[in-house]
Amino acid sequence: MSAIPLSSYARRLGLAVPIIQAPMAGSQAGALAAAVMGAGALGSLPAALLAPAALREETLAVRAAARGPLNLNFFAHRPPAPDPAREAAWRAALRPYYEEFGLDVAAIPEGPGRRPFDDEACGLVEALRPEVVSFHFGLPDRALLERVRRTGAQVWSTATTVAEARALAAQGVDAVIAQGAEAGGHRGMFLDEDPATQVGTMALVPQVVAAVDVPVIAAGGIADARGVAAALALGAAAVQVGTAFLLCPEATTSAVHRAALKSDAGQVTALTNLFSGRPARGIVNRVMRELGPMSALAPAFPLASGAIAPLRAAAEKQGRGDFSPLWAGQNVSGCREAPAAQIVAELVRGVWPQA
Amino acid sequence: MSAIPLSSYARRLGLAVPIIQAPMAGSQAGALAAAVMGAGALGSLPAALLAPAALREETLAVRAAARGPLNLNFFAHRPPAPDPAREAAWRAALRPYYEEFGLDVAAIPEGPGRRPFDDEACGLVEALRPEVVSFHFGLPDRALLERVRRTGAQVWSTATTVAEARALAAQGVDAVIAQGAEAGGHRGMFLDEDPATQVGTMALVPQVVAAVDVPVIAAGGIADARGVAAALALGAAAVQVGTAFLLCPEATTSAVHRAALKSDAGQVTALTNLFSGRPARGIVNRVMRELGPMSALAPAFPLASGAIAPLRAAAEKQGRGDFSPLWAGQNVSGCREAPAAQIVAELVRGVWPQA
């Protein structure tokens, strides 16, 4: 058994191993990023659910705890126009659950709406100087993107199809994350809206590698050293791993989420739009079985989250994840209650196959 | 660059390369099998659409043309009870198309119904002695399976989930084909009915390898030497490739199917049940866009095919594949109008990555 190869791009990033810790909003902050950075991998901080002050604080904490490159990850969606009729239909669909939990539907606020990358976030990037800035759901407007570029950060975004990879390369990204359909959490799709045509990692990565001239980072279903070796064989310069870190003590994964990952139910995931309005892969739970997993009633991203949030909170109080987004990819076999540094070490441990 | 490794199972089968040509009913007969066998791969003959006499004839033709191991592939579904109400609803959904093509709906016969593996097919196996007998949609009844085993054939079947792989191993298969969601044609699913939870190759193969003690054959999205190397890195003993052979002169792929594979449209596939009643991956065409791709109206497998067949024939007469099953996996980049032996050689050509 020989050592895992380090691509020139991974070397250029200053990595000791070709592993990117996937940003996982809601399941991690700085502690996970710092832990993987300590093991030579690239740490990521997801900004989607953090206020700017919290993002700054987490970034500074990571910098104090670990050396090496850090990725700040932002959503680059276009906020939708509110649609009262659709919101009302969505709440009507959820009404039986409100009644079951004794919740007052009139008291449920509008969804908070995750903010896309904007002037304030860009100012943070300019101040914090992360080595990598990655985007999900496309790229921000040209002016903001130029400001990010001028910080010297590597700019990445996610492609779920060859067409999306080409579009990102045409806009000058430094690397494309090829997100296979196996990946947990939100699909990065921005040209396509149809989850039925999303492409698996084995098919997507080599086609993206052939289509673009920039390094390709493989994501989706990669949970152990075999998967890392396979992704590199497909031509990836590095591998992005998320799910395998969800049970780490450094992650902030909720109790119901951890329990689901450890259960037999954790083996079965599907793409669902019920929790945010965009397709995302999570462990199949009650609301996904009963209303979806995909539903035309869910308001546009990120508005669907508002009305379902009180159900999530009420169910979680009872120890149940029936209304929680239990994000996970299609390979939870790498999840272990072990320090993130150990997960990183095992991902690159001597399974590079011999010819 | 070094030679591609040959697993002990591939050696035991007598293969020169660890490649299985996927059985593709409707797109090939003996000529394709013989051509890949000539290149050291395993050839497959799909029985699903062949009468027993034709299957015998094709097998004898392959034996006359090529040496090496041959796989006869059978469907092992349980035929459904006819459901006149569902059939009527299906025909009602298709009625606008019948009118468009000037077809007389009353004159359309019931579907012919593909036969599952039965006594007569088993008798053929006993007479023809293929080295491998592979099944799709589970396994036949115990008595038939025992008869197959007694011929000395290796018995394979397809798993689309870890649970299906375990079930097959418990029934004593000699190898499991792990069919990732990227694969073209019919999903082999037999425990699960939900296409939303089908698993991508990158996630499925290592989990199946870990779950069963028999060799695992990886299928789905593998179209070039990078993909073969990746599948072997995941622990597969061999790789099953179908889509990459569809444009070969030895295949019987129809003109509309070939045109679709060569077009930009060929990049976009989805799982659909419109053509047979079971989920199968094909290039998205008009009827998939307008009625599906998945529809609750389609009668149970294989009955859906009857009512749509006249539309397929009428559209194909006009050179259109709007109602044809254009089976393809999610990676058509390996399709070339080249002899099958050349495709086989390229699949194993010197890309085994260096550490």
Side-chain angles (χ1 to χ4, degrees), chain B residues 119-162:
Chain B
D119 175 71
E120 187 176 8
C122 197
L124 264 180
V125 165
E126 289 166 328
L128 296 168
R129 299 271 164 167
E131 286 74 13
V132 177
V133 175
S134 70
F135 295 102
H136 218 50
F137 315 135
L139 286 166
D141 291 339
R142 184 181 300 264
L144 287 173
L145 191 59
E146 261 318 301
R147 286 171 58 190
V148 174
R149 281 215 185 87
R150 282 198 296 270
T151 69
Q154 291 283 301
V155 175
W156 299 351
S157 186
T158 299
T160 66
T161 62
V162 171

Side-chain angles (χ1 to χ4, degrees), chain B:
Chain B
M1 294 199 284
S2 48
I4 205 145
L6 201 58
S7 66
S8 59
Y9 189 61
R11 268 193 219 104
R12 182 175 155 201
L13 290 169
L15 297 175
V17 295
I19 305 292
I20 318 294
Q21 167 248 316
M24 298 183 289
S27 290
Q28 58 130 151
L32 182 64
V36 303
M37 289 162 70
L42 195 139
S44 297
L45 264 179
L49 296 174
L50 290 179
L55 179 60
R56 172 190 296 271
E57 190 178 312
E58 289 295 327
T59 303
L60 297 178
V62 172
R63 293 300 197 193
R67 295 185 181 195
L70 173 66
N71 166 35
L72 296 193
N73 171 261
F74 298 91
F75 286 179
H77 60 286
R78 304 287 179 270
D83 182 338
R86 200 164 166 195
E87 181 69 28
W90 180 227
R91 289 176 180 230
L94 296 176
R95 182 179 301 272
Y97 302 121
Y98 294 138
E99 288 168 4
E100 180 182 331
F101 286 95
L103 297 172
D104 177 6
V105 63
I108 292 163
E110 296 283 319
R114 290 163 228 209
R115 288 194 337 182
F117 187 70
D118 58 10
D119 175 71
E120 187 176 8
C122 197
L124 264 180
V125 165
E126 289 166 328
L128 296 168
R129 299 271 164 167
E131 286 74 13
V132 177
V133 175
S134 70
F135 295 102
H136 218 50
F137 315 135
L139 286 166
D141 291 339
R142 184 181 300 264
L144 287 173
L145 191 59
E146 261 318 301
R147 286 171 58 190
V148 174
R149 281 215 185 87
R150 282 198 296 270
T151 69
Q154 291 283 301
V155 175
W156 299 351
S157 186
T158 299
T160 66
T161 62
V162 171
E164 288 179 345
R166 287 207 176 97
L168 293 175
Q171 291 177 83
V173 297
D174 297 294
V176 169
I177 301 162
Q179 186 193 32
E182 294 94 327
H186 282 93
R187 306 295 306 150
M189 52 209 300
F190 61 96
L191 291 180
D192 202 332
E193 293 195 344
D194 183 2
T197 57
Q198 289 283 283
V199 183
T201 303
M202 183 68 83
L204 182 64
V205 171
Q207 294 185 87
V208 170
V209 167
V212 300
D213 286 330
V214 295
V216 174
I217 296 160
I222 304 168
D224 60 16
R226 283 184 190 281
V228 173
L232 298 178
L234 293 176
V239 176
Q240 183 165 288
V241 175
T243 303
F245 293 111
L246 282 171
L247 292 184
C248 293
E250 298 94 339
T252 61
T253 314
S254 71
V256 295
H257 196 171
R258 286 176 190 263
L261 288 161
K262 290 189 274 187
S263 72
D264 285 346
Q267 301 289 326
V268 183
T269 65
L271 295 182
T272 180
N273 65 343
L274 299 182
F275 300 109
S276 71
R278 269 185 177 267
R281 183 173 295 284
I283 295 167
V284 176
N285 62 3
R286 179 180 164 197
V287 71
M288 286 167 69
R289 271 190 299 273
E290 295 180 359
L291 295 187
M294 295 295 299
S295 169
L297 296 173
F301 181 89
L303 301 177
S305 61
I308 207 169
L311 294 167
R312 172 186 180 174
E316 289 195 4
K317 260 188 211 161
Q318 300 175 10
R320 289 155 47 198
D322 291 342
F323 297 86
S324 303
L326 305 170
W327 302 145
Q330 289 191 318
N331 189 350
V332 298
S333 69
C335 294
R336 277 193 312 293
E337 294 168 303
Q342 184 180 326
I343 303 286
V344 171
E346 290 175 12
L347 283 168
V348 296
R349 184 169 288 160
V351 300
W352 191 245
Q354 293 295 295

